[in-house]
Amino acid sequence: MLSASLVVGFLAIAFTIFIIHLGVYGYVNPDPEHAYYVDGIEQTAIARNVAEQLAKDKGVEVRHGYPVDIARLFRSWFVWGFWSHILFLVIQIIFLPLFLVQTTTQTIYKVIYSLLTG
């Protein structure tokens, strides 16, 4: 049976790898800077006008809001995920020592911790 410290260590490594993954794909993404997508076409285009021309050539109507810069959207999701996990980590680093050190009532710390972490 795995010991608790081994499981905690594995989870810490997995969480670290996940945060690094989010940071890399959010800030130094190796994909193209832009990838415009039009609903109904199975390929993306590097420029907005090229995506509109592809849709026109295939007889697909370009609806309001399209073409969408899907690369920018994905990068924003990765950046959001990166900073939300960093914030979660900071909250853990601040509150877990408070729970371990303080032996008296911890009601206010528990309420604040619960509000911050959901």
Side-chain angles (χ1 to χ4, degrees), residues 30-52:
D31 293 333
E33 185 71 25
H34 299 286
Y36 290 97
Y37 169 76
V38 175
D39 194 25
I41 298 179
E42 296 184 14
Q43 68 185 43
T44 59
I46 296 176
R48 176 181 289 273
N49 58 350
V50 174
E52 290 170 350

Side-chain angles (χ1 to χ4, degrees), residues 6 76 85:
L6 188 60
S76 66
H85 284 82

Side-chain angles (χ1 to χ4, degrees), residues 4 34 37 39-41 51 53-54 61 66 68 77-78 80 83 86 92 96 100 102-103 107-108 110 112-113 118:
H34 299 286
Y37 169 76
D39 194 25
I41 298 179
Q53 186 61 41
L54 280 171
E61 178 188 352
Y66 283 90
V68 175
W77 286 346
F78 282 119
W80 174 81
W83 285 110
I86 292 294
Q92 301 302 321
L96 288 181
L100 296 175
Q102 205 168 54
T103 57
T107 307
I108 190 68
K110 288 180 183 177
I112 294 171
Y113 181 75

Side-chain angles (χ1 to χ4, degrees), residues 43-113:
Q43 68 185 43
T44 59
I46 296 176
R48 176 181 289 273
N49 58 350
V50 174
E52 290 170 350
Q53 186 61 41
L54 280 171
K56 184 178 177 184
D57 292 345
K58 295 192 183 218
V60 175
E61 178 188 352
V62 179
R63 296 183 308 189
H64 178 69
Y66 283 90
V68 175
D69 189 357
I70 241 22
R72 182 173 179 227
L73 180 65
F74 282 163
R75 276 192 303 279
S76 66
W77 286 346
F78 282 119
V79 168
W80 174 81
F82 174 76
W83 285 110
S84 67
H85 284 82
I86 292 294
L87 179 64
F88 177 76
L89 190 61
V90 167
I91 290 170
Q92 301 302 321
I93 290 170
I94 290 171
F95 279 95
L96 288 181
L98 290 175
F99 291 142
L100 296 175
V101 171
Q102 205 168 54
T103 57
T104 61
T105 180
Q106 302 171 350
T107 307
I108 190 68
Y109 296 127
K110 288 180 183 177
V111 169
I112 294 171
Y113 181 75

